[in-house]
Amino acid sequence: MAEIQKFYPDETIVWDIDFGRIDASLKPQKSRLFLCKPNRETVAELAEAYGKVFQTINNGIHELTFKVPYIIERNKKYIRNPNIDLIRGNYLIRYEKGNSKQYFIINKPKNTADSGREIKDVHCFLLPIELSRKVIRDYQVTKQVYSDIGSDGILNETLLSKTNWSIGYIDADIALAVRTIDVSEQSLIELVDEICQTTNGVPQWDTVNKRLSIYKLESLTHDKGFSIEYGKYLKSLIEEPSFDDVCTRLYVYGRNGLTINNKNFTQESYIEDFTYYIYPFERDENRNVIKHSNYMSDELCHALLDYQILLDQKKSEFITLSNNKNSLELDLKVKTSELNSLNEQLRNILNDIDRYNAQGLDNSQLIIDKTNKENEITAKQSEINQINNNISAINTSILAIKNDIVIENNFTPDLIAERENFINEKIWTDNNIDNEDELYLAGLTQLEKLIQPTVSYKVNVVDFLKVVDCQRDWDKLNLFDYVTIKYPNFNINIKAMIIGFEHDEDGNAINLEIANAVNINNGFITFKDMMKKFTSTSRRLDMSQYKWDKSESNESEINKIINETWNAVARQIKAGVDESIEISERGIVITNPTNPDDMLVIQSGLLAISNNRGLDWKHAITGEGIVAERIFGKLGAFVQVRADSIILGDNGEKLADGVIANSSTWNNAATTANNAWNAAQNAIQKGVSYSSAYIDNTGIYVKDSGNKERVRLGQYATGKYGLKVTSGEIYGTTIRSGAENASTYVELSSNGFEPLSVVVNNNDALNVGTFGNGGSVQFYDYSVGDMRGQIYPHDDAMGKGLRIHARANNGSSLPLHLWGSDVYVDGRAFFYDGITVLGDKPAAVETDNYGYRLLFAHEMPQNKFTDERFGELENGQARINLDPIFLETIEPNVEGTEWFIKLYNFDSFLNLRVKEIGSDYFIVEEKDGLNGKFIWSLSGIRKGYKDRRLDVIDIPK
């Protein structure tokens, strides 16, 4: 073990440098790229490819990018790369590394030229992206995901039937899961992705054998002891918490507005959890505060914890009462059913009595039966009343509990006001849940995900895959493996899951993206939530338990509706306003609540209407036709009319004499009338107003209700023709200035990307539209038809902001000139490839008495960095331990990059010299062994700049 003194005071980092036995013969694996035709015939090996970046994505569709030069060196001559012309879109790339092989599809082979260097940028997706070209239409099924026996499964009917892909392994729970799919159109890759998301499965694609496997996440995760920390692999780390979605009060709703009020003993439709804001508050049994909350006062923390204890105590009482209430409600349903049966038996007895009376038979026994049955009904009603009284008593006790736990009885007004600061509300609804217990538990689970901020971590590490001494970690960089991240200064010490990584093989960089389960100290979002950002869908999958859970009991509401037969004779059903609708052995009887004389009866094969409570029926519809004293309305064709007179139209028009007697005249007259009516309806006449529209010799115009002209089509002013709209809107797919075939014009279109275009000589000059998630302005040189730059908002690795990008159509960057008498930058400015200034580089510094004055930068022929501090001699010597961060910015102290060390007396009598210079320190000695303070300065050449001195530069004119 070795100890290295850290530059932070009073801290020592202990490094374990016992790496174990290293196999020096084991070399890092290098990837090889082979260009193949779609039938996998190898065309060429792209050995000259460089800039290879392999990116894994947790939905399984990995990406590969690389560059191929147009000019290569062969036999000490520069020639055109013969492989350039072989690279085509939809060709395959076989990516080999060690014993691993994967096939990718080329989707974007792009030519670029930059500073005279010509290359082909190639972008590829993993082979299953070809399933995005396979479409399923009008597919509606409810069945299991996959069947390994037969073909009755979603994947059997889609992936296996439409492609040459096969199934490898699918977890049994996933394969047997039943899902409902109802899509009008979607790709197969979207279908597979949605199945994986809804079953919590992870796809694994075998591109060599074209096999799909789906695993549960826990089957793919491994903890191999891999760690990344300060001083070991870690280059950079970004921690980005988001507090926008923190929720402490969650309103929970199910299907048809179902709430949790009856299951939540607070009787509220929401649940609360203030754990995040209380943390890390801690108290002992005597209420002495051990740790304070990061957010809340100690008084509020005490009150919330006391309130939680009260809730726990009252909850057990509530559960007992709730269980008793549930039991009574079940008894009530049974007793009510028994009462309904007794009422039905009584109804049958009454029917028998009516029948006996009609036939003159002895009904004495039936009257006795009637009396006995009425007594049974009275007794049963007494049982029901007692149960209702018991339920009412329980409701009273539950209300008392609610009064005990009301907020105002447990918090002071000041604490209630402070507590209000931490109430962040959200609403969560799941229309698949129609059970109160299930809804309550699901709400608790959902709140656990929302009670703390989400935190994302992006980690950049050293490319240890190329370091022989790191060979024990080579097999630990896999998707879904666990990795420990340590960064003491940020108080980060977490074990996280790798959900994606990018390996820049030639750039010697590895970027990791990690996520973990919800934890009060580390607010990571879950893997399932992270998955959502990698995929998008355009279809609807119905996974409703209410409809389609095949393991559900057949006593569901749907099966009751399907399987039960409504028996109107056995039941008397009343509904409608004031029970105006009755279904009984008489049929369906509907009465008018405001006029009981009006009655409608529907019986077998008959619909009859009476206006005197059924004394007679003057209107009826039977199997023979319509019977009525009067018929009002518009009649179509009929066979027979019996009437004293026939009146047509709304103004009392009658048929001409002899028309009915002559059938041909009747038919011709009807045809003529119809034709004339249609012609009158369809004709538009000059000088006639049609509601608000009017036509005259100048055109068509429309007026509003105030008789003010709003639209004019035609001659809208003397010598002016066209369309004029006053205080209105114009909608259209395309609006263009100039003549129809003009080559120079301004155009507004429905194109969401470029809705406003300025075109000169059929070449773009200016486009205003969208780019990414915001607006964009694009400038062109219309004389050559090429882009010159864009202005658009960005949200990427560089952060959020507005970007001005000078570029051509092919994506290559162009010079950007800011020209003016003065250029002001309000805010910090970053220059990533250096800065060259024709003139001085002063800093403007404000003084107390002399205003702003310029102080100039110290400049040298070489790029050097300097560090300087105080030192103090003890026994005539001082060891100066150099800042380890500063050492990583300069070249080491070797021949050609020597360090320059200067010593300055702080005590004037000292005679100093540098006695020794080490790799990370130097020793200062006083000639006569005196003690005292001094100032030292050390400068070294900036790392990577040792061969640069007085560089020549071409200044653009």
Side-chain angles (χ1 to χ4, degrees):
M1 303 290 290
E3 293 187 359
I4 299 178
Q5 182 66 40
K6 195 179 179 186
F7 68 92
Y8 299 109
D10 302 324
E11 291 191 39
T12 300
I13 296 181
V14 180
W15 300 85
D16 184 358
I17 58 174
D18 182 15
F19 291 112
R21 188 167 299 173
I22 299 298
D23 185 357
S25 64
L26 188 62
K27 302 299 181 184
Q29 297 177 343
K30 295 183 178 180
S31 63
R32 301 174 65 186
L33 304 182
F34 295 88
L35 182 66
C36 305
K37 292 183 178 180
N39 64 359
R40 302 198 178 190
E41 176 188 344
T42 301
V43 176
E45 180 177 1
L46 304 179
E48 68 280 10
Y50 68 98
K52 291 178 284 188
V53 177
F54 179 81
Q55 183 179 7
T56 66
I57 301 175
N58 55 19
N59 66 358
I61 311 299
H62 308 319
E63 296 183 43
L64 174 68
T65 59
F66 58 89
K67 304 177 186 296
V68 180
Y70 264 75
I71 304 299
I72 61 175
E73 183 181 1
R74 291 281 176 86
N75 299 323
K76 299 183 179 181
K77 293 182 180 181
Y78 289 99
I79 63 171
R80 179 183 174 86
N81 187 350
N83 292 332
I84 280 291
D85 298 323
L86 301 177
I87 300 175
R88 295 178 173 86
N90 291 335
Y91 265 38
L92 304 182
I93 294 295
R94 187 171 71 251
Y95 178 89
E96 296 187 4
K97 191 171 185 180
N99 297 323
S100 173
K101 293 182 182 179
Q102 298 186 72
Y103 282 93
F104 291 80
I105 295 180
I106 298 175
N107 74 313
K108 288 183 180 179
K110 180 174 64 176
N111 292 322
T112 63
D114 188 6
S115 301
R117 186 171 187 180
E118 300 169 337
I119 59 174
K120 186 180 289 288
D121 279 308
V122 182
H123 181 276
C124 311
F125 281 114
L126 200 66
L127 184 62
I129 198 66
E130 68 179 7
L131 298 178
S132 62
R133 306 168 188 167
K134 303 292 185 181
V135 179
I136 56 175
R137 289 178 57 84
D138 299 327
Y139 185 58
Q140 299 177 350
V141 297
T142 300
K143 57 182 56 182
Q144 66 187 56
V145 170
Y146 171 70
S147 174
D148 52 4
I149 301 176
S151 58
D152 191 23
I154 297 174
L155 291 176
N156 304 78
E157 295 179 349
T158 55
L159 180 70
L160 298 185
S161 66
K162 293 181 66 69
T163 72
N164 57 359
W165 284 79
S166 60
I167 298 296
Y169 168 82
I170 297 185
D171 185 277
D173 291 339
I174 296 175
L176 297 176
V178 175
R179 292 293 180 264
T180 292
I181 299 181
D182 182 2
V183 297
S184 57
E185 180 178 321
Q186 75 175 147
S187 67
L188 276 177
I189 193 65
E190 289 180 302
L191 174 66
V192 172
D193 175 70
E194 190 69 20
I195 288 175
C196 290
Q197 286 197 45
T198 59
T199 59
N200 293 324
V202 180
Q204 299 289 286
W205 301 95
D206 177 359
T207 59
V208 175
N209 300 299
K210 299 194 77 170
R211 282 200 295 258
L212 167 66
S213 297
I214 305 177
Y215 293 83
K216 287 187 175 180
L217 179 60
E218 53 266 28
S219 302
L220 299 175
T221 57
H222 300 91
D223 187 355
K224 300 176 181 177
F226 185 40
S227 65
I228 299 171
E229 53 192 283
Y230 176 80
K232 180 184 178 184
Y233 299 157
L234 181 63
K235 293 172 65 177
S236 67
L237 180 146
I238 298 176
E239 178 186 44
E240 187 174 356
S242 174
F243 290 81
D244 295 338
D245 294 326
V246 175
C247 171
T248 56
R249 175 181 290 176
L250 185 67
Y251 289 86
V252 181
Y253 299 100
R255 184 165 54 84
N256 296 328
L258 180 69
T259 69
I260 60 172
N261 298 54
N262 293 331
K263 295 304 173 183
N264 185 11
F265 79 101
T266 62
Q267 301 292 288
E268 302 288 356
S269 59
Y270 60 79
I271 49 180
E272 291 181 328
D273 192 329
F274 296 95
T275 305
Y276 175 76
Y277 291 112
I278 295 175
Y279 180 85
F281 179 84
E282 186 178 346
R283 65 184 183 182
D284 60 18
E285 63 274 9
N286 297 319
R287 299 174 63 85
N288 297 314
V289 177
I290 301 173
K291 293 182 180 179
H292 300 281
S293 165
N294 294 327
Y295 292 92
M296 293 180 173
S297 66
D298 291 343
E299 292 76 15
L300 180 57
C301 291
H302 279 304
L304 286 171
L305 293 178
D306 293 342
Y307 185 62
Q308 187 58 51
I309 293 173
L310 174 65
L311 293 181
D312 293 339
Q313 294 172 348
K314 295 296 182 179
K315 187 175 182 179
S316 59
E317 299 178 28
F318 172 80
I319 291 175
T320 300
L321 293 171
S322 180
N323 291 337
N324 292 339
K325 181 180 177 181
N326 291 339
S327 178
L328 289 172
E329 287 175 340
L330 289 176
D331 289 343
L332 181 61
K333 289 181 180 180
V334 173
K335 299 298 182 183
T336 302
S337 177
E338 293 173 351
L339 178 62
N340 290 336
S341 178
L342 291 174
N343 282 321
E344 184 177 339
Q345 295 170 21
L346 176 62
R347 199 158 33 246
N348 291 334
I349 293 172
L350 294 174
N351 288 337
D352 289 341
I353 291 174
D354 292 340
R355 182 167 54 84
Y356 273 45
N357 289 337
Q359 298 176 9
L361 301 176
D362 180 15
N363 62 2
S364 57
Q365 182 59 46
L366 289 173
I367 293 175
I368 295 174
D369 294 341
K370 171 179 172 293
T371 301
N372 293 336
K373 193 60 64 179
E374 288 173 342
N375 292 335
E376 291 183 48
I377 291 174
T378 301
K380 188 62 64 177
Q381 186 63 55
S382 297
E383 295 179 15
I384 291 175
N385 293 340
Q386 183 60 47
I387 294 175
N388 283 327
N389 291 337
N390 293 339
I391 292 176
S392 178
I394 290 177
N395 288 334
T396 301
S397 299
I398 291 177
L399 181 60
I401 292 177
K402 184 177 181 179
N403 292 332
D404 290 339
I405 64 175
V406 71
I407 293 297
E408 288 76 11
N409 294 337
N410 293 276
F411 293 83
T412 66
D414 290 341
L415 291 182
I416 291 176
E418 181 185 356
R419 180 178 179 268
E420 187 65 31
N421 296 328
F422 303 103
I423 297 178
N424 304 326
E425 297 181 336
K426 287 188 180 297
I427 296 175
W428 178 75
T429 303
D430 190 337
N431 288 320
N432 292 328
I433 301 179
D434 62 350
N435 178 275
E436 290 179 332
D437 292 304
E438 182 182 356
L439 182 64
Y440 181 70
L441 294 176
L444 292 174
T445 301
Q446 190 68 22
L447 182 59
E448 288 180 2
K449 302 177 182 179
L450 300 173
I451 60 175
Q452 59 191 345
T454 57
V455 183
S456 63
Y457 285 82
K458 293 184 178 179
V459 183
N460 180 260
V461 301
V462 174
D463 189 357
F464 61 90
L465 299 178
K466 293 185 177 180
V467 181
V468 174
D469 288 347
C470 301
Q471 60 186 245
R472 292 192 301 174
D473 290 334
W474 285 353
D475 65 338
K476 298 177 181 178
L477 186 62
N478 298 294
L479 208 58
F480 311 127
D481 280 354
Y482 285 104
V483 57
T484 299
I485 307 293
K486 296 180 181 179
Y487 198 85
N489 289 347
F490 289 173
N491 293 322
I492 295 176
N493 186 352
I494 58 174
K495 181 170 290 187
M497 181 189 296
I498 301 174
I499 64 167
F501 65 85
E502 179 182 273
H503 185 196
D504 185 349
E505 299 183 19
D506 297 323
N508 299 322
I510 298 176
N511 296 303
L512 302 179
E513 188 162 7
I514 61 176
N516 203 351
V518 173
N519 181 295
I520 191 62
N521 297 309
N522 309 298
F524 285 94
I525 52 181
T526 63
F527 168 77
K528 180 179 179 182
D529 296 326
M530 293 293 295
M531 280 286 288
K532 294 179 182 177
K533 74 175 186 177
F534 291 101
T535 57
S536 62
T537 60
S538 59
R539 63 279 187 197
R540 177 176 64 85
L541 273 77
D542 188 351
M543 299 172 293
S544 171
Q545 290 181 351
Y546 173 69
K547 288 184 177 181
W548 302 123
D549 189 344
K550 294 299 184 180
S551 64
E552 188 177 1
S553 169
N554 284 330
E555 290 300 313
S556 68
E557 183 177 346
I558 287 180
N559 284 318
K560 289 180 181 178
I561 294 174
I562 294 174
N563 296 328
E564 285 190 0
T565 301
W566 291 87
N567 188 343
V569 177
R571 297 181 177 88
Q572 184 179 28
I573 302 172
K574 292 187 177 182
V577 179
D578 297 329
E579 296 187 347
S580 59
I581 302 175
E582 177 181 312
I583 303 175
S584 66
E585 57 269 70
R586 299 177 63 192
I588 301 177
V589 180
I590 304 175
T591 57
N592 188 334
T594 59
N595 187 3
D597 289 340
D598 294 339
M599 176 184 295
L600 181 147
V601 174
I602 301 175
Q603 293 182 351
S604 176
L606 173 68
L607 185 152
I609 301 173
S610 173
N611 56 10
N612 55 14
R613 298 200 180 190
L615 295 178
D616 54 44
W617 307 87
K618 297 181 179 180
H619 312 91
I621 300 176
T622 71
E624 300 295 327
I626 300 176
V627 180
E629 289 183 342
R630 298 180 181 86
I631 298 178
F632 299 92
K634 298 178 180 179
L635 299 180
F638 50 82
V639 176
Q640 188 178 53
V641 175
R642 298 176 182 176
D644 295 332
S645 63
I646 299 177
I647 300 175
L648 304 178
D650 296 330
N651 298 319
E653 298 90 345
K654 297 183 178 181
L655 294 176
D657 293 340
V659 170
I660 294 181
N662 187 326
S663 62
S664 61
T665 304
W666 168 265
N667 294 331
N668 292 335
T671 301
T672 302
N674 286 336
N675 291 340
W677 174 256
N678 292 333
Q681 292 298 310
N682 296 327
I684 298 178
Q685 303 176 39
K686 178 180 177 181
V688 177
S689 176
Y690 298 91
S691 296
S692 60
Y694 193 84
I695 303 174
D696 62 15
N697 57 359
T698 64
I700 303 173
Y701 61 86
V702 178
K703 294 183 178 181
D704 61 17
S705 58
N707 203 34
K708 180 179 179 181
E709 183 179 304
R710 302 299 297 272
V711 180
R712 169 77 71 157
L713 177 61
Q715 182 177 344
Y716 62 85
T718 303
K720 296 183 178 181
Y721 298 86
L723 173 65
K724 178 182 178 182
V725 179
T726 304
S727 299
E729 296 85 26
I730 298 177
Y731 295 94
T733 303
T734 303
I735 301 176
R736 177 184 289 191
S737 66
E740 182 175 1
N741 296 317
S743 61
T744 299
Y745 54 85
V746 177
E747 180 178 284
L748 291 172
S749 72
S750 58
N751 183 346
F753 296 101
E754 298 175 354
L756 172 60
S757 299
V758 178
V759 178
V760 179
N761 296 332
N762 289 325
N763 283 329
D764 285 339
L766 175 70
N767 282 331
V768 179
T770 60
F771 183 89
N773 295 325
S776 168
V777 181
Q778 300 183 156
F779 303 89
Y780 296 83
D781 183 345
Y782 64 81
S783 64
V784 296
D786 196 12
M787 183 186 290
R788 288 296 178 261
Q790 294 174 295
I791 302 176
Y792 57 89
H794 69 90
D795 183 0
D796 49 30
M798 305 296 294
K800 298 180 180 179
L802 183 69
R803 177 168 293 151
I804 303 175
H805 186 188
R807 52 160 290 193
N809 278 336
N810 61 10
S812 60
S813 295
L814 300 173
L816 175 65
H817 297 273
L818 302 178
W819 197 353
S821 60
D822 295 287
V823 177
Y824 295 91
V825 178
D826 187 4
R828 295 184 297 171
F830 296 87
F831 301 88
Y832 287 90
D833 290 325
I835 179 173
T836 301
V837 179
L838 298 180
D840 48 36
K841 299 197 292 284
V845 181
E846 185 177 13
T847 65
D848 293 335
N849 301 308
Y850 304 100
Y852 280 95
R853 294 302 175 105
L854 297 181
L855 298 179
F856 294 86
H858 180 74
E859 309 207 18
M860 305 180 66
Q862 284 184 290
N863 195 335
K864 285 193 170 187
F865 292 155
T866 301
D867 191 10
E868 59 184 14
R869 297 189 189 181
F870 280 104
E872 186 169 4
L873 299 164
E874 293 184 6
N875 298 323
Q877 285 193 353
R879 176 188 172 100
I880 305 300
N881 293 318
L882 299 176
D883 188 328
I885 297 178
F886 176 71
L887 288 175
E888 292 189 9
T889 66
I890 61 175
E891 295 287 346
N893 182 39
V894 297
E895 185 177 355
T897 59
E898 295 86 355
W899 295 342
F900 289 3
I901 302 175
K902 298 179 182 180
L903 305 174
Y904 304 93
N905 285 334
F906 192 77
D907 295 329
S908 59
F909 52 81
L910 298 178
N911 190 354
L912 304 173
R913 75 182 184 97
V914 177
K915 177 182 179 182
E916 177 183 342
I917 301 177
S919 61
D920 59 357
Y921 70 93
F922 64 90
I923 296 177
V924 177
E925 182 180 56
E926 207 281 330
K927 179 181 178 182
D928 299 318
L930 299 177
N931 295 332
K933 292 185 178 180
F934 62 93
I935 300 172
W936 60 267
S937 173
L938 183 148
S939 65
I941 297 176
R942 179 177 177 176
K943 184 169 290 187
Y945 286 76
K946 65 180 181 180
D947 297 324
R948 298 182 59 179
R949 178 180 173 84
L950 292 174
D951 293 355
V952 178
I953 186 170
D954 294 327
I955 302 300
K957 302 298 184 181

